[in-house]
């Protein structure tokens, strides 16, 4: 079956946020370095990129396994203290807003499943003036962390859609793993956290290398 025809049949389009819709990877890496160093811990850029998509505390557990629970909470607070006042530096990727408008005009329901906390997602939805595009959003403090598929199941239940009706788009291996656990059609995007090779190893249904490529794939009927 033709790729375009398959995606044209999808009535529910679910997006990851960071690195998929919003160009926020650089600030996330910077914030984690600053937060860790404030409490005597250090890591690498790639290690931080590798945990993006997980809930923040889960990621901190992986990055700083020798930290005490108290230190991990302190790192989380320091991360937020730096990230929040600098979040104006994270725009939507170019072409993304036009894509969201086009999909809505085509009658698609749009949703977000993100590793962000609810407060953080609401803040960036406000800053990007994009609340109105999404029928439902689901966050890491409302469900199990990716790659557990609870977020996707919650969105399906809310919208009364079936797995076959939906496609999930993300930039991390956890995104593709989450979709695969449900047998949901997935699109991996190469312009976020993970390399093309690492994403391809998760066997996404489709893979694109630019925001423009994603727009072209999703919007043509």
């Amino acid at each position: 079956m033709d790729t375009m025809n398959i995606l044209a049949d999808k009535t529910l389009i679910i997006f990851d946020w960071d690195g998929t819709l919003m160009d926020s990877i650089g600030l996330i890496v910077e914030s984690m370095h600053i937060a860790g160093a404030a409490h005597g811990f250090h890591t690498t850029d790639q290690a931080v990129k590798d945990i993006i998509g997980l809930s923040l505390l889960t990621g901190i557990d992986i990055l700083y396994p020798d930290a005490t629970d108290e230190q991990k909470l302190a790192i989380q607070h320091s991360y937020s203290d730096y990230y929040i006042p600098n979040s104006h530096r994270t725009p939507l990727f170019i072409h993304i807003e036009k894509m969201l408008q086009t999909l809505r005009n085509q009658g698609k329901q749009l949703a977000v499943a993100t590793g962000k906390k609810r407060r953080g997602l609401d803040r960036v939805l406000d800053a990007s003036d994009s609340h109105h595009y999404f029928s439902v959003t689901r966050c890491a403090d409302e469900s199990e962390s990716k790659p557990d598929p609870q977020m996707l199941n919650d969105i399906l239940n809310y919208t009364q859609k079936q797995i076959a009706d939906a496609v999930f788009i993300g930039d991390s291996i956890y995104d593709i793993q989450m979709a695969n656990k449900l047998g949901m059609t997935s699109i991996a995007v190469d312009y976020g956290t993970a390399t093309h090779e690492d994403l391809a190893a998760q066997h996404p249904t489709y893979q694109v290398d630019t925001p423009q490529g994603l727009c072209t794939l999703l919007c043509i009927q």
Side-chain angles (χ1 to χ4, degrees), residues 3-129:
T3 296
M4 294 177 186
N5 288 339
I6 294 171
L7 290 176
D9 290 340
K10 303 300 182 182
T11 54
L12 175 62
I13 317 297
I14 310 171
F15 298 94
D16 168 60
W17 188 266
D18 290 308
T20 300
L21 296 181
M22 180 163 274
D23 188 5
S24 50
I25 303 305
L27 181 59
I28 291 172
V29 172
E30 182 181 332
S31 300
M32 188 60 76
H33 282 315
I34 288 171
H39 301 281
F41 295 92
H42 302 277
T43 188
T44 65
D45 287 0
Q46 190 57 53
V48 178
K49 290 179 181 179
D50 287 345
I51 59 89
I52 294 173
L54 300 173
S55 66
L56 182 55
L57 270 179
T58 299
I60 290 171
D61 280 337
I62 293 170
L63 290 174
Y64 310 117
D66 296 331
T68 65
D69 288 345
E70 185 177 84
Q71 287 171 321
K72 290 172 183 175
L73 284 173
I75 292 169
Q76 181 184 34
H77 290 311
S78 295
Y79 175 94
S80 298
D81 288 345
Y82 185 82
Y83 187 93
I84 291 171
N86 287 284
S87 58
H88 63 281
R89 293 161 45 192
T90 58
L92 295 176
F93 285 107
I94 190 168
H95 304 301
I96 290 296
E97 185 160 15
K98 182 178 180 181
M99 177 191 71
L100 297 176
Q101 291 171 343
T102 300
L103 291 171
R104 284 294 302 270
N105 290 342
Q106 291 175 352
K108 309 293 188 182
Q109 275 190 280
L110 308 183
V112 171
T114 176
K116 283 185 174 300
K117 289 186 175 182
R118 168 55 57 191
R119 183 170 59 181
L121 179 63
D122 285 345
R123 184 177 60 252
V124 294
L125 286 170
D126 287 340
S128 58
D129 192 24

